[in-house]
Every structure is written in C-alpha cells, then in structure tokens.
Amino acid sequence: MKRSPAKGNYRRYLAYFGTLNINVLHLRKPWVIAWWSAAFPGFGHLLLGSQIKGFILILWEIGINMQSGINKSMVSTFTGRADLSKQMLNPRLLLLYIPVYVYAIWDSYRKSIELNKEWVLAEWERAPIVSFKMGGMSLNHLDKSSPWLAIAWSMLMPGLGQLYLRRIPVGFFLLAGWISFMYFSGVAEIVLVFLEGKYIQTSHSMNSQCALFMPSFYCFAAYEAYVYSVEYNKLFDKAQRQWLERRYGTLRPGFCRATER
C-alpha cells in the first residue's frame, strides 16, 4: 500500500533550485562514477553534485600532476623512452598523489551508493519540486532541453553545454579549464598550422603536460551535459505531474466514478 508522509514533513528532496544551479538526486551507476574519478579525480564528484569537493580534487589533480611530471612520464613511456620517463618523475610528489587518487575513486563509488538510497527515499516521500528561482542577479527555471544539443555545445567548447542547462558553476569551471589547457598546451597553434597546409614538425612546440588533460575534460563535458539534460527532463515531467495533482487532484476515468470504484 502506497503511503505518503504528512504535508510539509519532508526529510529529502529530489532537487534543489538555486539561481545559478540545479542540484538533483537521480539513480546512478556506481562503477560509472568510479570510472570517471579514475579518469580524472573530481569528475565523479561533479556527477554526484558534490561540486566543491569536485573542484578541489580537480585543482589538486592538475597541480600535483604537473609538479610530479606524471603526464610527461606517460608521454615518454608511450613513445618508447622508458628510461627517460623515470627521470621525469618526482618521487616525493608521486607518493602524495597516489593516496588522494585512490581516495577519489573510493569516495565517489561509496557516495553514489548512498545517494542512490537517498533517491529511493526521496521518491517515496514525493516532496514538492520547486521549478523556478529568481534572485537579484540571476534567475533559474526548469524546462525541457535537448540532450543532443547539450552534447553539441559541449563538443564545440567544453562548458557551453552546462551553460545551456544553466549549470553556471560547473560550466564556467570547465570553460576556464579548457581555455587554459588550449592556451598553455599550444594545441590551438598546431591546429592552425595544419589547417594552413604547413605540415611541419610541431610536436616539440606542444606542452604535453597540459595537452594530456584535454581529452578527459572534453569527453567529460559532453557526457555530463547529456546526463543532466536527461535528468532535468525527467524532473520537469515530475514537477508538471505534481502541479497537476495539486491543482486538479488525481483524475480517474469516468467509468470508475460511475461505479464508485
């Protein structure tokens, strides 16, 4: 028998509306979250809505990785220069890198399981979904979005898909990170050289330390935008259904009313 708690007595909510962001509970696959944390510490936490922890772990990953020379060592290993790769590593920072890297994977996996349990309880409680928020500097509202359009914007420039969905903090963080990597890696200049047809040796002008961050950022921005677009659409349907039930009650077919069943 389906029960609902007393009016206003809610412990969990499916979504939180702010003027700059919408944070939402939804069912997640723990291994997918853990995989993104392994690809880049902090990404799994962003998918879980833990944005502060995610930003800190991402900045930590970038800083420690660059100082310890992990990316340069990886490039040397991929190009068959294993002896040179060992010389590029800073063992002092490498030993600091490993524990936090493992923690990011473990914590995101554990947290995704716990949030799945919270999602089940929030679905049962059916707390009202607020679909509009206005402030002095910004406003936010819930509407239907196209998941494929969110991917397209993210593929054009990581972060734009999040801005399309009005996920302002994550969007500007990804956008700033992508611009920084493009600038310091020298990838933009190399692309322009190839577009001009000047096929010269440009690998020495690339900063591999920054360039190896870019595939993770690019793929994650597209994936995150797609996932949240789909979940926002589901949340929109739930909000509409709740409003109709509050406004008109639960409608029953005419033959049920006629037979009083």
Side-chain angles (χ1 to χ4, degrees), residues 136-156:
M137 296 294 293
S138 180
L139 60 87
N140 199 356
H141 64 96
L142 191 62
D143 63 352
K144 285 283 190 176
S145 60
S146 170
W148 297 110
L149 186 57
I151 288 181
W153 280 116
S154 294
M155 294 181 69
L156 182 64

PDB file of all heavy atoms in Angstrom, residues 136-156:
ATOM      1  N   GLY A 136      18.396  38.654  -7.376  1.00  0.00           N
ATOM      2  CA  GLY A 136      18.703  39.984  -7.896  1.00  0.00           C
ATOM      3  C   GLY A 136      19.641  39.958  -9.083  1.00  0.00           C
ATOM      4  O   GLY A 136      19.623  40.880  -9.904  1.00  0.00           O
ATOM      5  N   MET A 137      20.478  38.925  -9.189  1.00  0.00           N
ATOM      6  CA  MET A 137      21.471  38.859 -10.254  1.00  0.00           C
ATOM      7  C   MET A 137      21.147  37.826 -11.321  1.00  0.00           C
ATOM      8  O   MET A 137      21.694  37.871 -12.424  1.00  0.00           O
ATOM      9  CB  MET A 137      22.848  38.532  -9.653  1.00  0.00           C
ATOM     10  CG  MET A 137      23.386  39.588  -8.716  1.00  0.00           C
ATOM     11  SD  MET A 137      23.752  41.141  -9.548  1.00  0.00           S
ATOM     12  CE  MET A 137      25.117  40.636 -10.585  1.00  0.00           C
ATOM     13  N   SER A 138      20.282  36.882 -11.011  1.00  0.00           N
ATOM     14  CA  SER A 138      20.036  35.801 -11.959  1.00  0.00           C
ATOM     15  C   SER A 138      18.698  35.146 -11.669  1.00  0.00           C
ATOM     16  O   SER A 138      18.080  35.403 -10.623  1.00  0.00           O
ATOM     17  CB  SER A 138      21.157  34.759 -11.870  1.00  0.00           C
ATOM     18  OG  SER A 138      20.952  33.694 -12.764  1.00  0.00           O
ATOM     19  N   LEU A 139      18.230  34.336 -12.609  1.00  0.00           N
ATOM     20  CA  LEU A 139      17.040  33.530 -12.402  1.00  0.00           C
ATOM     21  C   LEU A 139      17.262  32.158 -13.020  1.00  0.00           C
ATOM     22  O   LEU A 139      18.080  31.985 -13.917  1.00  0.00           O
ATOM     23  CB  LEU A 139      15.793  34.200 -12.979  1.00  0.00           C
ATOM     24  CG  LEU A 139      15.744  34.510 -14.481  1.00  0.00           C
ATOM     25  CD1 LEU A 139      15.214  33.328 -15.271  1.00  0.00           C
ATOM     26  CD2 LEU A 139      14.870  35.719 -14.740  1.00  0.00           C
ATOM     27  N   ASN A 140      16.539  31.190 -12.499  1.00  0.00           N
ATOM     28  CA  ASN A 140      16.691  29.809 -12.952  1.00  0.00           C
ATOM     29  C   ASN A 140      15.314  29.180 -13.013  1.00  0.00           C
ATOM     30  O   ASN A 140      14.462  29.443 -12.160  1.00  0.00           O
ATOM     31  CB  ASN A 140      17.591  29.031 -11.995  1.00  0.00           C
ATOM     32  CG  ASN A 140      18.157  27.776 -12.637  1.00  0.00           C
ATOM     33  OD1 ASN A 140      17.834  27.441 -13.763  1.00  0.00           O
ATOM     34  ND2 ASN A 140      19.005  27.074 -11.904  1.00  0.00           N
ATOM     35  N   HIS A 141      15.078  28.361 -14.012  1.00  0.00           N
ATOM     36  CA  HIS A 141      13.797  27.691 -14.138  1.00  0.00           C
ATOM     37  C   HIS A 141      14.007  26.332 -14.798  1.00  0.00           C
ATOM     38  O   HIS A 141      15.033  26.074 -15.422  1.00  0.00           O
ATOM     39  CB  HIS A 141      12.809  28.535 -14.953  1.00  0.00           C
ATOM     40  CG  HIS A 141      13.239  28.735 -16.379  1.00  0.00           C
ATOM     41  ND1 HIS A 141      12.781  27.952 -17.405  1.00  0.00           N
ATOM     42  CD2 HIS A 141      14.086  29.627 -16.941  1.00  0.00           C
ATOM     43  CE1 HIS A 141      13.314  28.349 -18.546  1.00  0.00           C
ATOM     44  NE2 HIS A 141      14.129  29.364 -18.289  1.00  0.00           N
ATOM     45  N   LEU A 142      13.034  25.480 -14.625  1.00  0.00           N
ATOM     46  CA  LEU A 142      13.103  24.122 -15.147  1.00  0.00           C
ATOM     47  C   LEU A 142      12.290  24.032 -16.425  1.00  0.00           C
ATOM     48  O   LEU A 142      11.112  24.406 -16.454  1.00  0.00           O
ATOM     49  CB  LEU A 142      12.562  23.138 -14.109  1.00  0.00           C
ATOM     50  CG  LEU A 142      12.775  21.647 -14.361  1.00  0.00           C
ATOM     51  CD1 LEU A 142      14.268  21.326 -14.413  1.00  0.00           C
ATOM     52  CD2 LEU A 142      12.106  20.838 -13.260  1.00  0.00           C
ATOM     53  N   ASP A 143      12.896  23.552 -17.492  1.00  0.00           N
ATOM     54  CA  ASP A 143      12.183  23.371 -18.751  1.00  0.00           C
ATOM     55  C   ASP A 143      12.794  22.198 -19.503  1.00  0.00           C
ATOM     56  O   ASP A 143      13.773  21.605 -19.074  1.00  0.00           O
ATOM     57  CB  ASP A 143      12.215  24.647 -19.606  1.00  0.00           C
ATOM     58  CG  ASP A 143      13.639  25.026 -20.020  1.00  0.00           C
ATOM     59  OD1 ASP A 143      14.587  24.381 -19.521  1.00  0.00           O
ATOM     60  OD2 ASP A 143      13.803  25.967 -20.814  1.00  0.00           O
ATOM     61  N   LYS A 144      12.179  21.853 -20.615  1.00  0.00           N
ATOM     62  CA  LYS A 144      12.677  20.758 -21.447  1.00  0.00           C
ATOM     63  C   LYS A 144      13.911  21.224 -22.228  1.00  0.00           C
ATOM     64  O   LYS A 144      13.959  22.347 -22.738  1.00  0.00           O
ATOM     65  CB  LYS A 144      11.599  20.312 -22.426  1.00  0.00           C
ATOM     66  CG  LYS A 144      10.478  19.498 -21.796  1.00  0.00           C
ATOM     67  CD  LYS A 144      10.913  18.068 -21.536  1.00  0.00           C
ATOM     68  CE  LYS A 144       9.723  17.201 -21.132  1.00  0.00           C
ATOM     69  NZ  LYS A 144      10.115  15.785 -20.962  1.00  0.00           N
ATOM     70  N   SER A 145      14.898  20.351 -22.308  1.00  0.00           N
ATOM     71  CA  SER A 145      16.108  20.638 -23.071  1.00  0.00           C
ATOM     72  C   SER A 145      16.429  19.450 -23.967  1.00  0.00           C
ATOM     73  O   SER A 145      15.949  18.335 -23.742  1.00  0.00           O
ATOM     74  CB  SER A 145      17.289  20.926 -22.135  1.00  0.00           C
ATOM     75  OG  SER A 145      17.542  19.809 -21.291  1.00  0.00           O
ATOM     76  N   SER A 146      17.242  19.684 -24.970  1.00  0.00           N
ATOM     77  CA  SER A 146      17.635  18.629 -25.898  1.00  0.00           C
ATOM     78  C   SER A 146      18.976  18.041 -25.467  1.00  0.00           C
ATOM     79  O   SER A 146      19.989  18.757 -25.466  1.00  0.00           O
ATOM     80  CB  SER A 146      17.744  19.181 -27.318  1.00  0.00           C
ATOM     81  OG  SER A 146      18.345  18.226 -28.183  1.00  0.00           O
ATOM     82  N   PRO A 147      19.022  16.771 -25.086  1.00  0.00           N
ATOM     83  CA  PRO A 147      20.314  16.161 -24.706  1.00  0.00           C
ATOM     84  C   PRO A 147      21.354  16.226 -25.810  1.00  0.00           C
ATOM     85  O   PRO A 147      22.541  16.452 -25.537  1.00  0.00           O
ATOM     86  CB  PRO A 147      19.941  14.716 -24.370  1.00  0.00           C
ATOM     87  CG  PRO A 147      18.485  14.764 -24.014  1.00  0.00           C
ATOM     88  CD  PRO A 147      17.904  15.826 -24.894  1.00  0.00           C
ATOM     89  N   TRP A 148      20.922  16.055 -27.052  1.00  0.00           N
ATOM     90  CA  TRP A 148      21.888  16.076 -28.154  1.00  0.00           C
ATOM     91  C   TRP A 148      22.393  17.486 -28.421  1.00  0.00           C
ATOM     92  O   TRP A 148      23.541  17.672 -28.843  1.00  0.00           O
ATOM     93  CB  TRP A 148      21.256  15.484 -29.411  1.00  0.00           C
ATOM     94  CG  TRP A 148      20.885  14.053 -29.208  1.00  0.00           C
ATOM     95  CD1 TRP A 148      19.628  13.522 -29.109  1.00  0.00           C
ATOM     96  CD2 TRP A 148      21.784  12.955 -29.027  1.00  0.00           C
ATOM     97  NE1 TRP A 148      19.670  12.166 -28.892  1.00  0.00           N
ATOM     98  CE2 TRP A 148      20.980  11.788 -28.831  1.00  0.00           C
ATOM     99  CE3 TRP A 148      23.173  12.822 -29.008  1.00  0.00           C
ATOM    100  CZ2 TRP A 148      21.557  10.536 -28.624  1.00  0.00           C
ATOM    101  CZ3 TRP A 148      23.726  11.572 -28.799  1.00  0.00           C
ATOM    102  CH2 TRP A 148      22.922  10.445 -28.618  1.00  0.00           C
ATOM    103  N   LEU A 149      21.559  18.477 -28.179  1.00  0.00           N
ATOM    104  CA  LEU A 149      22.030  19.851 -28.314  1.00  0.00           C
ATOM    105  C   LEU A 149      23.025  20.196 -27.211  1.00  0.00           C
ATOM    106  O   LEU A 149      24.002  20.918 -27.452  1.00  0.00           O
ATOM    107  CB  LEU A 149      20.836  20.813 -28.267  1.00  0.00           C
ATOM    108  CG  LEU A 149      21.132  22.296 -28.534  1.00  0.00           C
ATOM    109  CD1 LEU A 149      21.790  22.474 -29.893  1.00  0.00           C
ATOM    110  CD2 LEU A 149      19.846  23.112 -28.448  1.00  0.00           C
ATOM    111  N   ALA A 150      22.789  19.659 -26.013  1.00  0.00           N
ATOM    112  CA  ALA A 150      23.744  19.867 -24.925  1.00  0.00           C
ATOM    113  C   ALA A 150      25.097  19.244 -25.273  1.00  0.00           C
ATOM    114  O   ALA A 150      26.150  19.840 -25.001  1.00  0.00           O
ATOM    115  CB  ALA A 150      23.195  19.271 -23.630  1.00  0.00           C
ATOM    116  N   ILE A 151      25.078  18.050 -25.887  1.00  0.00           N
ATOM    117  CA  ILE A 151      26.328  17.425 -26.319  1.00  0.00           C
ATOM    118  C   ILE A 151      27.003  18.258 -27.401  1.00  0.00           C
ATOM    119  O   ILE A 151      28.229  18.459 -27.385  1.00  0.00           O
ATOM    120  CB  ILE A 151      26.061  15.993 -26.826  1.00  0.00           C
ATOM    121  CG1 ILE A 151      25.724  15.064 -25.674  1.00  0.00           C
ATOM    122  CG2 ILE A 151      27.275  15.450 -27.574  1.00  0.00           C
ATOM    123  CD1 ILE A 151      25.472  13.634 -26.100  1.00  0.00           C
ATOM    124  N   ALA A 152      26.220  18.759 -28.343  1.00  0.00           N
ATOM    125  CA  ALA A 152      26.784  19.532 -29.450  1.00  0.00           C
ATOM    126  C   ALA A 152      27.501  20.782 -28.939  1.00  0.00           C
ATOM    127  O   ALA A 152      28.610  21.106 -29.381  1.00  0.00           O
ATOM    128  CB  ALA A 152      25.671  19.916 -30.429  1.00  0.00           C
ATOM    129  N   TRP A 153      26.885  21.495 -28.008  1.00  0.00           N
ATOM    130  CA  TRP A 153      27.523  22.690 -27.446  1.00  0.00           C
ATOM    131  C   TRP A 153      28.789  22.314 -26.683  1.00  0.00           C
ATOM    132  O   TRP A 153      29.796  23.037 -26.736  1.00  0.00           O
ATOM    133  CB  TRP A 153      26.561  23.438 -26.543  1.00  0.00           C
ATOM    134  CG  TRP A 153      25.583  24.300 -27.274  1.00  0.00           C
ATOM    135  CD1 TRP A 153      24.224  24.170 -27.309  1.00  0.00           C
ATOM    136  CD2 TRP A 153      25.887  25.434 -28.091  1.00  0.00           C
ATOM    137  NE1 TRP A 153      23.665  25.142 -28.099  1.00  0.00           N
ATOM    138  CE2 TRP A 153      24.673  25.933 -28.597  1.00  0.00           C
ATOM    139  CE3 TRP A 153      27.078  26.074 -28.466  1.00  0.00           C
ATOM    140  CZ2 TRP A 153      24.604  27.052 -29.427  1.00  0.00           C
ATOM    141  CZ3 TRP A 153      27.018  27.183 -29.299  1.00  0.00           C
ATOM    142  CH2 TRP A 153      25.797  27.659 -29.774  1.00  0.00           C
ATOM    143  N   SER A 154      28.751  21.192 -25.959  1.00  0.00           N
ATOM    144  CA  SER A 154      29.930  20.770 -25.205  1.00  0.00           C
ATOM    145  C   SER A 154      31.058  20.341 -26.131  1.00  0.00           C
ATOM    146  O   SER A 154      32.235  20.531 -25.808  1.00  0.00           O
ATOM    147  CB  SER A 154      29.567  19.614 -24.266  1.00  0.00           C
ATOM    148  OG  SER A 154      28.678  20.033 -23.259  1.00  0.00           O
ATOM    149  N   MET A 155      30.728  19.756 -27.267  1.00  0.00           N
ATOM    150  CA  MET A 155      31.762  19.358 -28.220  1.00  0.00           C
ATOM    151  C   MET A 155      32.334  20.567 -28.951  1.00  0.00           C
ATOM    152  O   MET A 155      33.501  20.551 -29.352  1.00  0.00           O
ATOM    153  CB  MET A 155      31.190  18.351 -29.215  1.00  0.00           C
ATOM    154  CG  MET A 155      30.811  17.023 -28.585  1.00  0.00           C
ATOM    155  SD  MET A 155      30.164  15.814 -29.769  1.00  0.00           S
ATOM    156  CE  MET A 155      31.648  15.459 -30.710  1.00  0.00           C
ATOM    157  N   LEU A 156      31.527  21.598 -29.123  1.00  0.00           N
ATOM    158  CA  LEU A 156      32.045  22.821 -29.724  1.00  0.00           C
ATOM    159  C   LEU A 156      33.015  23.515 -28.781  1.00  0.00           C
ATOM    160  O   LEU A 156      34.088  23.979 -29.200  1.00  0.00           O
ATOM    161  CB  LEU A 156      30.892  23.757 -30.077  1.00  0.00           C
ATOM    162  CG  LEU A 156      31.272  25.072 -30.761  1.00  0.00           C
ATOM    163  CD1 LEU A 156      31.904  24.796 -32.121  1.00  0.00           C
ATOM    164  CD2 LEU A 156      30.037  25.964 -30.917  1.00  0.00           C
TER     165      LEU A 156
END
